[in-house]
Amino acid sequence: AQKVTQVQTEISVVEKEDVTLDCVYETRDTTYYLFWYKQPPSGELVFLIRRNSFDEQNEISGRYSWNFQKSTSSFNFTITASQVVDSAVYFCALSEGRDKARDDKIIFGKGTRLHILP
Amino acid sequence: SQTIHQWPATLVQPVGSPLSLECTVEGTSNPNLYWYRQAAGRGLQLLFYSVGIGQISSEVPQNLSASRPQDRQFILSSKKLLLSDSGFYLCASGPYSGANVLTFGAGSRLTVL
């Protein structure tokens, strides 16, 4: 069964500090997809990134970077030089790839609430 | 691009009353549709998902039900609400794909008193 664990429920850092949000996942499939979503105070989730299980290259997008390590089943998210606008709840999610492509559930972790203090 | 419409945005209902939350999708056809609930401290819990009209998979036993009467319409219902049904309900849509990127609606906040 698929499972996503985000052990950090809440993190507070001062603006301009770097912060890493941890995500550990469990799956029996060899093909799967990992995601990060951001939920600002407005409530609507916003997609940030998707990785498939065959691509372990780390990715950088501006101040955001993601470290995917299959050996530890982790997909961690780092914000460099954090800003107040980064304050939000961040969710890690997992979708198992299947031959029957339509039968895909997306399971989310419990989220990490990030506070960036001015 | 897809747009998800959810209503009502906010709802206060007494225990034992019925519930109907509606979600409609624009900008795509034949999507996978999902209902998630976000309760305090429990993250995003998948309640139902649907891969087509009339096809509903339930993830959590509860007194809620879902229906998909049309391709781009997804309804969450209850005949009798419980206090524990309070939460923030999110509808999401994803394309026919093994690598779903979900588009979410703005959510419906339900308070059961």
Side-chain angles (χ1 to χ4, degrees):
Chain A
Q2 25 179 171
K3 185 178 178 182
V4 176
T5 302
Q6 295 179 255
V7 294
Q8 305 146 310
T9 54
E10 200 156 348
I11 300 175
S12 294
V13 299
V14 177
E15 197 173 20
K16 297 184 183 176
E17 287 185 357
D18 299 346
V19 58
T20 295
L21 310 181
D22 297 332
C23 173
V24 174
Y25 61 92
E26 292 177 29
T27 177
R28 294 181 199 163
D29 280 14
T30 55
T31 302
Y32 53 88
Y33 304 88
L34 296 164
F35 308 81
W36 276 95
Y37 285 83
K38 175 181 179 179
Q39 185 182 37
S42 61
E44 190 169 334
L45 272 79
V46 177
F47 166 75
L48 294 178
I49 189 172
R50 176 188 68 201
R51 304 296 284 174
N52 73 59
S53 52
F54 299 107
D55 183 1
E56 282 193 77
Q57 257 190 328
N58 291 330
E59 182 156 339
I60 298 174
S61 176
R63 296 183 296 105
Y64 294 174
S65 61
W66 291 270
N67 183 358
F68 177 26
Q69 292 195 338
K70 288 178 76 170
S71 61
T72 56
S73 297
S74 65
F75 186 43
N76 297 337
F77 172 31
T78 297
I79 301 175
T80 304
S82 60
Q83 299 176 2
V84 173
V85 293
D86 295 327
S87 297
V89 181
Y90 290 87
F91 289 96
C92 181
L94 167 69
S95 172
E96 291 173 336
R98 301 172 189 277
D99 291 336
K100 186 182 176 185
R102 302 218 66 187
D103 183 22
D104 41 353
K105 304 180 294 188
I106 295 125
I107 301 299
F108 286 75
K110 292 189 176 183
T112 297
R113 184 175 297 276
L114 178 63
H115 301 277
I116 308 298
L117 308 172
Chain B
S1 64
Q2 295 182 57
T3 304
I4 313 287
H5 299 284
Q6 265 189 261
W7 70 92
T10 306
L11 197 58
V12 180
Q13 292 285 99
V15 168
S17 63
L19 171 74
S20 181
L21 299 180
E22 192 156 341
C23 169
T24 58
V25 182
E26 288 181 1
T28 187
S29 59
N30 206 20
N32 289 352
L33 296 176
Y34 305 80
W35 277 111
Y36 287 89
R37 177 170 60 200
Q38 186 175 16
R42 298 191 62 184
L44 275 175
Q45 182 184 33
L46 178 61
L47 301 176
F48 301 95
Y49 68 101
S50 170
V51 299
I53 295 174
Q55 300 177 64
I56 308 293
S57 296
S58 174
E59 287 297 298
V60 182
Q62 56 205 324
N63 71 322
L64 298 172
S65 62
S67 62
R68 186 169 177 176
Q70 299 180 48
D71 180 44
R72 290 173 288 177
Q73 184 184 26
F74 204 26
I75 298 170
L76 183 70
S77 305
S78 174
K79 292 182 180 177
K80 288 186 178 181
L81 284 169
L82 306 172
L83 285 173
S84 57
D85 292 324
S86 292
F88 189 53
Y89 290 81
L90 287 155
C91 178
S93 171
Y96 178 107
S97 169
N100 260 311
V101 172
L102 297 182
T103 300
F104 282 84
S108 298
R109 187 165 300 282
L110 170 66
T111 304
V112 182
L113 302 175

